[in-house]
Amino acid sequence: MSASRRPPSRTPSRGITPAPVARIRPRRTPGDVIVGIGALIVLAALMGGVPYALLRYAGPPLPPELLSGDLLTRQIGTGTAIAILILLVWLTWFQLVICVIVEVYAGIRRIGMPARVPFSGGPQALANRLVSAALMLFTVSAAAVPLTAFSSAPPPARPTVVASALHGPASTDASTATTLDSLEAVRQVKKVYVVQPPHGRHHESLWEIADKCLGDGRRYPEIYRLNQHKTQPDGTRLQMADLIRPGWVLDMPDDARGVHVVPVDETREATLKRHAGEPVEADGRTQFVVQDAGSRQAGGTDVSRDRLGTVDRQSGAEEGTTEAGRDAGQETKKISTPPSPLPGRVYHLPPQKGTGATAVPSVKNATAKPEQIDRPQKPETQDTGGGLDLIDYLAGGSLAAAGLLAALGRRRREQLWNRAFGRRIARPRGDAAGAEVALRLGSDAPGSRMLDNGLRLLGKLLAEQGRVPPTVYAVHLSARGLDLWVHPPEPDAPEPWEAHDGGRTWRLLAHEGRGIDEHALADAPAPYPGLVSLGVTDSGRVLVDLEAAHGVIAVTGHRVRDALAALAVELVTNRWSDRMRVTLVGFGRDLSMIAPERVRVVGTLAEALPELEAQAEEVAASGDGVLTGRVHARAADPAWPPHFLLSVIAPDPDEAGRLARLGRVGTRMAAGYVVAGDVPHPTWTWEITDDGKAKVDALGVTVAAQLLPRRHYDAVIELFRTAERRDGEPVREEEVPQEFTTSPSINVRILGPVEIGPLPPLEEGRAELASELVVYLATHPAGVHPVVLGGILWPRGVQSVVRDATIARVADWLGTDSEGRPNLRTDDTGRLRLGPEVRSDWQLFRELVRRSHNDPGARAVLLERALGLVRGPLLNSRPRGRYAWLAADELEYEVAASVADAAHRLCEVRLAHGDPDAAVAAVRAGLLLAADDEGLWRDLLRSAHATGDPLKLRAVVDGLHRRAASHPYGGGMAPETEALIDELLPSWRLHSMPSA
């Protein structure tokens, strides 16, 4: 619409000028008509011509040959085979008819995504194309569904048409020519999304952006294809779908909502400058975009006032008003201009108060702002980690997290050795619990295992070939595999390793690394124990070998202590080292509690240098190559275990000279020296920049540095202090009887693999999150507020629109109970709860145990019924990265102790009644879930001994010995258990089986 034809503009209240409305009428081209007529002809031929031809030349769908009663017993002849083929053709045609009906219904009714016809991907895609083209004859807006619903290919590019101009005439007296130019400019726009910086724990992902802007997270590949390899404002490019950076400007599909509309020729840098840090609402509510007061318009006119316009999310038409009364009878809301609007700032209408109650929060009635990031509640403590939450650093050190969790597992296993009946092991709280949540989220145990096994295999292969291992100065670990940067180049890499770039890189592909037989490498030594993470890049994690520096490494810049703390934690807990010594100067005294066999803490460099100088003289005098000696040694007795020095105290001139002399040998000395501050003549210098980057000019590497601030370090130490406690905590037993319906609508089983049913299957990609949500509510019957639930299920943060949509989907999935009540509802306080007909096996287990206390006559039967609910470890086979909230919850501590105590009670009852075989069965039922509880193993030994069968006792002893020898956390078995075996089977040490 031109300016001359527009109705006179009305100046809204508050002195805000509405933006012009540009409505562009759709037109049907001659090509559309020809294609539509052709599609109609093809549809008519398929719907009428195919059945006519089949009836005339092939016969009915069920020929007489297929109606014979002896079809399944007689030999099939040519006639029968042809009849079967004819039936298959009829069935294919019938399938196509159903697809056409579904597509026509969707196109005429405009219901959006058509229903999926099972097993009809190809036929439905064909029907979609034909129906869409045919409907173009009658309306240009009745196209059924974009073909991307059935194809992975990107949709065909077409000009983007929008109904609101970011830059339009400022007054109604503009010339017609200027207005036409402005409308032409409106057509040449595109939709973009600016990736937001982290908010607490929340980091945006392509899946989340697709979910809130396109309505379906599974459409993230469309965003990826639109932006792949395009240069972003920071000079980098999108190469992996799971790696995006704040400040990137992403091109979006035409149907995206909650995005910025910019001129098609605008650079990403200009877009970022105008819209940086300004998220757009994505919940379907009205938006107001305020342009800069001095922005230049298409016709060269300057806008003297801020302009405010409302955008209808469904039609995209700009209304040009400051009043929102979209629903009939709704109270009018007025929006005032903020004092100093920023360019592109987005404002939102306040949500309207609903008049009716709903079962669960939904996108339509959400009362929280979608841009708000929900985070779990935490005590107010001074954050010494730069204001960021624990997850931002601890989860980022994926290899260090894996090592810390393994060390923590060893401590927890020792706690279980001393667990008393009726008590559980102490659980962490506060920052310590948050630290374990972060470690579970970030742990890359598979990557750590691949790095360890790959290096040990390499050393073993080279030793068998009599070759000297190459010097590896850096390693790149990613989802694609493991790359070693070697010097000098060596083009002959032993299989399965591959040489690339003229032998400068040795690569182990991920599938090869995951397939390495770990047991075959049980005695293979670690050739490169000095590898430690420097930081991460877009493509993966970079590690450097401290030994390869052959001298002093100086760490300079900002937050040097945090960098050295992260270095120390990973060094003392990694699994790719056999034995080492780490001397810490000026910090890290508490690390000796985590790895006492590796850590030595001193106050000054003068205390540490004599030992380092003695080792350097020993290595130099031997004349043997360190790497060669290592690969020919054994893991249990490694050659040349390294000694690393990490000092946050800068050396004085004398100490600097002694350090320099240690590095003058020029060969690998089984040592590494990392010192804070500038020192004379360092071999490498690591600079930690103020934006958290680590730069090593000698290696040509710049990465996001791995740091461990003081608060995070203290939280990790407190976590291990809790794991040292031997007093434990009392098990919380059920005191109030629970009423259970005899026929629950839904059973939630967690005492083993997660099973929720009977329910229809959820679509791929949503079942895991939905199951976790139901499990949390089932194990917390008091209910939880949606905001708190968002912080639990999305520890890194989530937008409320995504959270509420997920809850609504789960509510639909769970349905209603026998009385028509929702199985997922909100109570009067706003908490989410499961209905009374949703029952978990854990609730039933606790009720049966409670009843066993009050009914001694039925105790054995009740305990046996309770243990019959146990099918395996708690939440067995849960997906990686899920259920991290268990670290800060009492559930797994309570479940393990309660199951072990129930098995112990039943074992005692059965032994008292002279039934040792039933006692053995009771203990084995408890061990399905509490396999690390040594008290149960001792009960099993006593029960097996009571049977009087020496072979049964021998089998139990051998099984316990094998488990202790091959346990992933190591540690053998408790001394009390060994003493009991000595008492019951004195000869067990002579005949014990070798470890696996």
Side-chain angles (χ1 to χ4, degrees), residues 647-664:
S647 174
V648 297
I649 300 176
D652 60 28
D654 177 64
E655 293 165 344
R658 294 170 69 181
L659 283 172
R661 285 192 291 273
L662 287 175
R664 286 176 185 170

Side-chain angles (χ1 to χ4, degrees), residues 438-505:
L439 294 176
R440 293 193 185 190
L441 279 173
S443 171
D444 185 13
S448 177
R449 189 179 305 112
M450 182 172 69
L451 176 63
D452 180 31
N453 293 337
L455 294 176
R456 292 181 190 271
L457 175 63
L458 177 63
K460 181 179 180 180
L461 294 174
L462 293 174
E464 291 173 351
Q465 299 174 11
R467 298 171 56 185
V468 177
T471 295
V472 174
Y473 60 89
V475 170
H476 181 259
L477 177 65
S478 68
R480 297 180 180 180
L482 180 65
D483 286 358
L484 308 182
W485 299 342
V486 303
H487 182 80
E490 174 55 61
D492 185 15
E495 294 183 358
W497 289 86
E498 304 172 351
H500 293 268
D501 193 21
R504 295 180 177 85
T505 303

Side-chain angles (χ1 to χ4, degrees), residues 800-942:
S800 58
V801 63
V802 178
R803 177 202 65 212
D804 292 340
T806 300
I807 295 173
R809 280 195 297 267
V810 174
D812 292 339
W813 180 48
L814 296 180
T816 58
D817 60 16
S818 59
E819 298 183 11
R821 300 169 298 185
N823 282 318
L824 176 58
R825 66 188 72 178
T826 54
D827 61 15
D828 295 337
T829 65
R831 290 173 174 264
L832 287 167
R833 296 175 183 263
L834 295 178
E837 293 188 13
V838 181
R839 185 177 69 189
S840 73
D841 55 356
W842 170 233
Q843 290 174 305
L844 181 57
F845 178 93
R846 297 185 67 183
E847 175 62 16
L848 291 171
V849 171
R850 188 198 65 79
R851 293 180 184 178
S852 72
H853 297 331
N854 302 327
D855 190 353
R859 178 171 298 168
V861 175
L862 291 171
L863 289 175
E864 191 167 351
R865 285 184 57 193
L867 290 171
L869 298 172
V870 177
R871 298 167 292 117
L874 177 69
L875 299 169
N876 192 28
S877 302
R878 55 181 177 262
R880 182 186 170 199
R882 296 285 185 191
Y883 299 92
W885 51 268
L886 287 171
D889 197 276
E890 67 178 13
L891 179 65
E892 62 181 356
Y893 299 89
E894 286 282 341
V895 170
S898 298
V899 170
D901 287 349
H904 174 73
R905 287 193 183 102
L906 183 56
C907 173
E908 288 188 331
V909 171
R910 295 304 190 192
L911 288 176
H913 287 81
D915 191 354
D917 289 321
V920 170
V923 176
R924 290 197 180 278
L927 287 171
L928 287 176
L929 188 144
D932 284 338
D933 196 298
E934 291 268 324
L936 281 185
W937 283 103
R938 290 191 287 271
D939 285 339
L940 184 60
L941 288 168
R942 296 188 189 98

Side-chain angles (χ1 to χ4, degrees), residues 754-769:
V754 179
E755 294 180 5
I756 302 175
L759 287 173
L762 274 178
E763 47 192 288
E764 184 180 359
R766 289 177 172 170
E768 293 177 355
L769 178 60

Side-chain angles (χ1 to χ4, degrees), residues 230 702 751:
K230 293 184 178 179
T702 300
L751 303 180

